[in-house]
Amino acid sequence: MWTEQDNQLTRSFTFRNFKEAFAFMTEVAIVAEEMNHHPWWSNVYNKVEIRLTTHDAGNTVTEKDHVLAQRISVLAERYGV
């Protein structure tokens, strides 16, 4: 589940392996570029951490973040995450 803390939506994802984690990140990148709303993220082996905030709204959580979070969640479900 997404957590809102410190003006960010955050969520961690754990995949079966690096290949799945990287494939997921690629899909997220396509959606983020389409929305022109890019996340902060970190990847180590099979773990991906994502943080969402809207910089041009003063680094606060906005509807853009919630929409992107929902789209990311749908992508993650494809991997059983």
Side-chain angles (χ1 to χ4, degrees):
M1 298 299 303
W2 290 91
T3 304
E4 187 169 342
Q5 185 177 11
D6 298 326
N7 292 317
Q8 297 179 350
L9 287 179
T10 63
R11 184 169 172 189
S12 296
F13 302 87
T14 303
F15 298 88
R16 286 185 286 255
N17 53 46
F18 177 74
K19 184 178 176 181
E20 277 192 6
F22 196 87
F24 167 75
M25 291 176 68
T26 301
E27 291 187 69
V28 171
I30 292 166
V31 170
E33 187 66 16
E34 171 189 306
M35 291 181 63
N36 193 30
H37 192 54
H38 305 92
W40 175 96
W41 59 17
S42 171
N43 166 243
V44 177
Y45 181 56
N46 67 332
K47 297 186 188 315
V48 176
E49 180 184 343
I50 298 179
R51 298 180 194 169
L52 304 174
T53 191
T54 303
H55 303 292
D56 56 352
N59 293 317
T60 60
V61 176
T62 66
E63 184 63 21
K64 273 180 110 169
D65 300 301
H66 287 285
V67 169
L68 182 53
Q70 177 59 36
R71 293 189 66 186
I72 291 170
S73 293
V74 168
L75 295 172
E77 287 175 10
R78 294 182 192 170
Y79 295 90
V81 176

